[in-house]
Amino acid sequence: MKCLELIQKLETLAPSGCACDWDNVGLLVGWKEQEIHRILIALDATDEVVEEAIRMRADLLLTHHPLIFKPLKKVNDDNFIALRVMSLIQYNVNYYAMHTNFDAAPGCMADIAAGRLGLMEPDVLEVMGTMEIDGKPVPYGIGKVGELPYAMTLKELALFVKERFGLPFITVYGEHAVDETVTRVAIAPGSGKNSIAYAEKAGAEVLITGDIGHHEGIDAAANHLAVLDAGHYGLEHLFIGFMADYLEREYGDSLEIHKTAAAFPAAVL
């Protein structure tokens, strides 16, 4: 199929209008009229992922995080981002990013993450707007907040999150309360510093997120909000499997769908 046809399908799943104003989503490199036969899905367009896409002769690289975020003033081999862009163009690999639109759209990142935890009747944590689905306005936005299927201690929850998301480690802010029972939880995959205030307002006892700094973590714990920092990759890597399954269901008979072989980007030594 043409790249434009695939883009239209991706837009029905996670409309670009759901993205934050500061974000950069959509077809960032390539030709809308190019024929797409083989797709590689990854979280980030790293050197290893770009090389993998070229090696397998992918027609489209689909990632969550956008490779081009800040404006490129020059496109040459002095800049590692520009060099990746040049490589994609040189080998005719189109490049499409679904970032905060995928984070916020109904049925996407926030809902998938809440589903992994079994949150009951979750609400949007940070409402960004509404979109019409089956004739009804449905709120969309960053994160979810809801009740756990059963009460557990903070330590049990941390181990549960590690198991459900396949994490090698997790950082706990509020370690003084690891034996206290919690039921109301907020989850915001990605960088969650801005989600702390929303979690507190929503009455959450725990916020599960990533990229929490030392001061944000201890301040949240002081305000009786425990934080489980799973890292930025830790919660969002589910994008890869979800999109692979989605595209396989929709186009498995006509497209080759591949997931990146690139490993978890951090190591525990």
Side-chain angles (χ1 to χ4, degrees):
M1 68 175 61
K2 295 288 182 69
C3 183
L4 180 59
E5 296 175 73
L6 181 59
I7 289 172
Q8 290 169 343
K9 186 66 176 179
L10 295 175
E11 279 277 325
T12 63
L13 176 66
S16 58
C18 290
C20 296
D21 293 339
W22 48 261
D23 203 5
N24 190 29
V25 301
L27 184 65
L28 305 189
V29 177
W31 301 263
K32 293 180 181 178
E33 293 300 312
Q34 182 171 330
E35 290 283 346
I36 303 298
H37 302 280
R38 186 176 293 118
I39 298 173
L40 177 64
I41 303 170
L43 195 71
D44 298 278
T46 61
D47 287 335
E48 293 79 10
V49 168
V50 170
E51 290 168 5
E52 185 179 354
I54 292 169
R55 187 168 58 252
M56 69 170 12
R57 298 183 179 179
D59 304 298
L60 178 74
L61 173 59
L62 172 64
T63 72
H64 181 49
H65 298 131
L67 172 62
I68 305 172
F69 196 71
K70 297 179 180 179
L72 290 172
K73 295 183 178 181
K74 297 179 181 180
V75 182
N76 59 38
D77 58 3
D78 289 334
N79 178 280
F80 72 98
I81 297 294
L83 187 58
R84 293 176 194 170
V85 172
M86 291 165 60
S87 295
L88 291 168
I89 294 172
Q90 182 180 1
Y91 289 94
N92 295 318
V93 182
N94 279 15
Y95 172 58
Y96 192 90
M98 303 170 69
H99 190 210
T100 53
N101 54 324
F102 186 83
D103 286 335
C108 293
M109 186 74 81
D111 283 314
I112 303 164
R116 285 282 181 100
L117 297 178
L119 294 188
M120 298 184 292
E121 299 182 359
D123 295 315
V124 177
L125 182 62
E126 180 185 347
V127 177
M128 296 167 58
T130 60
M131 58 189 298
E132 191 170 301
I133 299 178
D134 297 329
K136 298 179 181 179
V138 176
Y140 68 86
I142 304 299
K144 288 284 184 173
V145 59
E147 304 296 320
L148 290 169
Y150 55 89
M152 58 183 77
T153 65
L154 182 60
K155 182 177 181 179
E156 289 171 336
L157 177 59
L159 296 175
F160 181 62
V161 171
K162 283 182 64 177
E163 184 271 326
R164 295 301 293 149
F165 288 89
L167 305 175
F169 60 87
I170 193 166
T171 302
V172 179
Y173 294 97
E175 68 278 2
H176 60 282
V178 291
D179 294 322
E180 293 184 8
T181 300
V182 297
T183 57
R184 188 162 176 79
V185 170
I187 186 164
S191 182
K193 294 179 182 179
N194 293 334
S195 296
I196 291 175
Y198 290 96
E200 292 173 343
K201 185 177 179 180
E205 298 163 284
V206 185
L207 170 64
I208 304 165
T209 188
D211 289 356
I212 296 297
H214 170 75
H215 295 289
E216 291 88 2
I218 62 174
D219 288 349
N223 286 323
H224 308 291
L225 175 70
V227 179
L228 301 183
D229 187 341
H232 201 115
Y233 180 94
L235 302 180
E236 290 195 325
H237 69 84
L238 54 79
F239 168 85
I240 301 171
F242 176 86
M243 286 307 303
D245 291 343
Y246 174 80
L247 292 174
E248 190 67 41
R249 287 195 306 270
E250 296 293 330
Y251 301 114
D253 294 334
S254 56
L255 294 177
E256 287 185 34
I257 313 299
H258 298 268
K259 295 182 287 187
T260 181
F264 196 94
V268 181
L269 302 177

